[in-house]
Amino acid sequence: MSESKFRAAVIGLGRMGSTFDDEIEQGGQFFMPYCHAPTYTASPRTDLIAGADPHAEQGEIFADRWGLERGQIYADYREMLEAERPDFVSICTTARLRAQIMIDAINAGVKAIWAEKPFTLSLAEADEVIELGNRKDVAIAVNCSRRYNVFFNEARRMVDEGELGEILQITAYAQCNLSHNGSHSIDAMRYLAAGDVEWVFGEMESDEKAAGDEDLMGNGYMAFDNGARGFLRGTPTGAAPWEFDLIGTEGRVRSLAQGMEAQYYRWVPGGLRDQGLPARAPFPLPTQIPSSGLSVIEDLVDCIETGRQPRCSGEDGRKALEIAIALRESHRRGGRRVDLPLADRSLRILSVEIREDAVPARVRRMQRN
């Protein structure tokens, strides 16, 4: 008996919704299909049946690229939700609109949402979306894609099975605005450390910038509930672009050069007074490298069938935002420790991606070039 297929639609038909994969020429963290439309097209569990975007040129590119009729492209996503009744919805719009679209999609009866990051702009928005999704049994996955990357999955397996011993430290080098791409770095740190952050210290670009709600670069120290400690360098990282270093009492794993190299170290006999030495060993990659996007679909299908939460859930998206806000709050308070969860749910970060978002990012890039 063949497995049933789910009807999938994309809201926001720009690069991440449609054509990002066409730009990728090297691997690293990217294993195709990666973004939304190519994943739905490739997956045996989904049919891409519609798209929505208020910008007509985006809709035309999307329809031509993925073989849809013009009648399957909508200017108003609400009209699409009502007419097409999709099971899966990807939300690839500017973050300014993401929370309301998720609420509307949940109320329209979708089974699963695959949302771009950051999850929302404010903690109050995140709270509302998560409460509604839980009440209506909608699986929400956030595209912090390292949770669906084979290196990070294998490193987490080593943590869970005790191969690295007690986790002591997770360090990330990732020049990023703390809400936008900082969602990736903070979530990957939480995933690898296998714990939740209890309190932080933070340092932002400047006192002046930290006083506002703009999306900043910054550095942070994080204390996890399992005893691990984390350090994020989100300011310029020089010759260490997007690298992660996970240290345990019995082993160490590193992802280097934007995911192009993986390293594993473990204790071997020898060294001073025969106390042992950390020696490099082959990193145990699997025999097949799954696509990040297809892994998301498989995860969401299982969530629909079992009721469990996605590997990177709305809750994970909320915690990444909350940690970023807490780092900024620490700087505002003169570098003082800030405990989580934050009591003030009105706090927010205006993700850098919402700048100039009246014009699609694809169009802005074409104009700059």
Side-chain angles (χ1 to χ4, degrees), residues 261-280:
E261 181 182 358
Q263 295 182 353
Y264 169 41
Y265 293 84
R266 63 187 180 194
W267 288 109
V268 297
L272 183 64
R273 302 186 187 89
D274 201 30
Q275 293 177 344
L277 288 169
R280 188 169 176 180

Side-chain angles (χ1 to χ4, degrees), residues 185-301:
S185 55
I186 293 170
D187 184 70
M189 293 175 73
R190 290 186 61 245
Y191 182 57
L192 291 175
D196 277 321
V197 175
E198 292 187 318
W199 53 266
V200 306
F201 292 112
E203 172 202 14
M204 299 296 102
E205 295 177 44
S206 69
D207 294 345
E208 180 182 9
K209 290 186 176 181
D213 288 340
E214 298 303 311
D215 199 357
L216 308 178
M217 290 190 292
N219 305 318
Y221 181 84
M222 308 172 196
F224 288 84
D225 57 3
N226 59 3
R229 294 296 184 261
F231 177 72
L232 167 66
R233 183 176 176 89
T235 51
T237 59
W242 282 90
E243 299 189 351
F244 295 84
D245 189 358
L246 179 65
I247 301 173
T249 54
E250 302 300 323
R252 176 183 188 180
V253 293
R254 303 172 72 198
S255 173
L256 304 176
Q258 295 182 326
M260 297 295 286
E261 181 182 358
Q263 295 182 353
Y264 169 41
Y265 293 84
R266 63 187 180 194
W267 288 109
V268 297
L272 183 64
R273 302 186 187 89
D274 201 30
Q275 293 177 344
L277 288 169
R280 188 169 176 180
F283 186 82
L285 286 171
T287 56
Q288 294 184 337
I289 306 296
S291 134
S292 302
L294 293 177
S295 295
V296 175
I297 300 304
E298 292 171 6
D299 187 39
L300 281 171
V301 168

Side-chain angles (χ1 to χ4, degrees), residues 138-186:
V138 176
I140 303 174
V142 180
N143 202 30
C144 290
S145 55
R146 285 166 180 80
R147 286 193 186 237
Y148 298 96
N149 175 285
V150 66
F151 167 83
F152 290 86
N153 297 161
E154 184 62 22
R156 177 57 186 265
R157 181 199 64 78
M158 297 168 78
V159 171
D160 291 341
E161 296 183 7
E163 293 181 25
L164 303 183
E166 177 187 353
I167 299 304
L168 303 174
Q169 174 77 22
I170 173 64
T171 302
Y173 302 94
Q175 180 176 335
C176 57
N177 299 90
L178 290 178
S179 175
H180 180 46
N181 280 333
S183 299
H184 285 302
S185 55
I186 293 170

